[in-house]
Amino acid sequence: MYSAYRKLRNSCIHSEKCFEKSEEEFLDSVGVSAEKLRLIFLQDEQIDWKKPILSQTEIEQKIKEYNSQINSNLFMSLNKDGSYTGFIKVQLKLIRPVSVPANKKAPSIQDSRKSSSRSQAVKRRTSFYLPKDTIKHLHIISRTCASEVIEALLKKFMVVDNPRKFALFERTEKDDQVYLRKLSDEEQPLRLRLLAGPSEKALSFVLKENETGEVNWDAFSMPELKNFLRILQREEEEHVRQILKKYTHCRQKIQEALTTRTPG
């Protein structure tokens, strides 16, 4: 509803007094009832997230229509078992760095002797930022689900982070606005691509960090968790230091005022 309200409020941008009013006062001033706002909201947010179930004949027809609209060789093809294969393009918009295996040099004889005495090899990682707006094409089957797409993308870039740290989003452009919807693990991206057609505005896929509102600590390795604790400890120590500095300064000011004050 906020999007509809913002759109309605922007239509009155010429009136500076609009911004001095609360949301309720603003709606009353332009004569919009709650029911009318609800209808505006429905029109504004009317993205068909619920996808229809197609028959085999409809799927075949959709594939023909899809292939006739593309200007590349990224066609979809129907399989004998009723499934179909095709390509999806995923844009990676990651804010945080990802972890990949550290480069390993060939072991020397001494290293080999040392490693033979160890029961387990130490797993080493290095972190880096993926280039902004990296794009990857994946050739998948209609039965491939969103969680499998995430795993395939991570494998392509040799990312060893837990796949649960990431989420696949459906991006849609409508009426100069952009809508993002997080796909569930079971949803099938190629099916969504077929239903939407080849237009990137109608549908595109984005891989982002999985912001669930709650941190999934199980998705982090032990070294990462220890690093978080070190960071939190430094922040806590700095916060305590700032508080002590502030109140030490206040104490000095109070003491100076007491010593300079003449009794009377």
Side-chain angles (χ1 to χ4, degrees):
M1 185 174 292
Y2 169 73
S3 179
Y5 165 69
R6 181 182 58 187
K7 189 174 182 181
L8 182 63
R9 194 180 185 95
N10 288 343
S11 66
C12 296
I13 197 169
H14 60 276
S15 176
E16 296 181 358
K17 291 185 178 180
C18 287
F19 297 96
E20 299 174 0
K21 301 177 180 180
S22 65
E23 181 174 338
E24 292 77 9
E25 291 173 336
F26 170 73
L27 294 176
D28 291 339
S29 66
V30 294
V32 178
S33 63
E35 178 63 22
K36 188 173 182 180
L37 180 62
R38 187 182 69 83
L39 294 175
I40 295 173
F41 164 67
L42 291 175
Q43 293 172 359
D44 187 49
E45 305 292 338
Q46 194 171 10
I47 302 296
D48 188 14
W49 301 123
K50 294 182 179 179
K51 309 298 182 182
I53 298 176
L54 302 179
S55 65
Q56 196 62 28
T57 303
E58 290 172 328
I59 290 174
E60 187 175 357
Q61 182 61 34
K62 277 281 188 183
I63 291 175
K64 289 180 180 179
E65 293 175 1
Y66 183 93
N67 291 338
S68 66
Q69 295 174 28
I70 61 175
N71 300 320
S72 63
N73 59 349
L74 304 179
F75 298 104
M76 288 195 189
S77 57
L78 187 64
N79 302 321
K80 292 181 179 180
D81 61 356
S83 64
Y84 50 95
T85 55
F87 293 85
I88 63 169
K89 183 172 74 172
V90 182
Q91 185 181 30
L92 281 68
K93 297 181 73 71
L94 302 178
I95 300 174
R96 296 189 287 269
V98 295
S99 300
V100 297
N103 293 328
K104 297 180 180 179
K105 57 182 180 180
S108 63
I109 297 176
Q110 291 82 0
D111 293 334
S112 299
R113 289 174 180 173
K114 290 178 182 179
S115 61
S116 62
S117 63
R118 298 177 184 176
S119 59
Q120 290 183 342
V122 178
K123 293 183 179 179
R124 296 186 177 182
R125 296 182 177 186
T126 184
S127 298
F128 75 103
Y129 288 92
L130 281 172
K132 186 179 180 180
D133 296 339
T134 299
I135 293 176
K136 189 68 179 179
H137 286 87
L138 291 178
H139 188 244
I140 61 175
I141 194 169
S142 55
R143 291 190 290 265
T144 304
C145 61
S147 60
E148 292 171 326
V149 168
I150 294 173
E151 292 175 2
L153 285 169
L154 299 183
K155 186 176 180 180
K156 289 281 185 182
F157 291 97
M158 299 182 66
V159 176
V160 294
D161 291 313
N162 193 312
R164 302 297 299 175
K165 291 183 182 181
F166 308 92
L168 193 64
F169 287 81
E170 176 179 306
R171 183 181 186 275
T172 303
E173 294 182 32
K174 185 177 180 181
D175 298 331
D176 297 326
Q177 294 193 46
V178 175
Y179 301 87
L180 280 176
R181 182 181 70 91
K182 179 181 172 182
L183 300 185
S184 65
D185 291 343
E186 297 76 22
E187 289 190 79
Q188 300 166 335
L190 190 62
R191 176 175 174 269
L192 300 176
R193 178 79 280 167
L194 178 63
L195 292 171
S199 171
E200 291 292 323
K201 287 190 174 182
L203 172 70
S204 61
F205 294 107
V206 181
L207 183 73
K208 301 179 68 177
E209 281 85 3
N210 188 10
E211 303 292 354
T212 60
E214 295 182 0
V215 179
N216 182 15
W217 297 111
D218 293 334
F220 294 90
S221 65
M222 188 60 67
E224 288 174 322
L225 293 172
K226 289 181 178 178
N227 191 43
F228 291 151
L229 288 176
R230 284 194 294 269
I231 293 172
L232 290 172
Q233 184 177 356
R234 286 199 299 266
E235 291 179 351
E236 183 180 6
E237 290 172 352
E238 176 62 21
H239 186 62
V240 170
R241 191 183 69 82
Q242 292 292 340
I243 292 175
L244 291 175
K245 182 180 178 181
K246 176 182 177 181
Y247 284 98
T248 299
H249 179 72
C250 291
R251 184 183 295 110
Q252 291 174 349
K253 290 294 184 181
I254 294 172
Q255 289 174 345
E256 290 174 3
L258 290 173
T259 54
T260 57
R261 185 177 180 182
T262 56

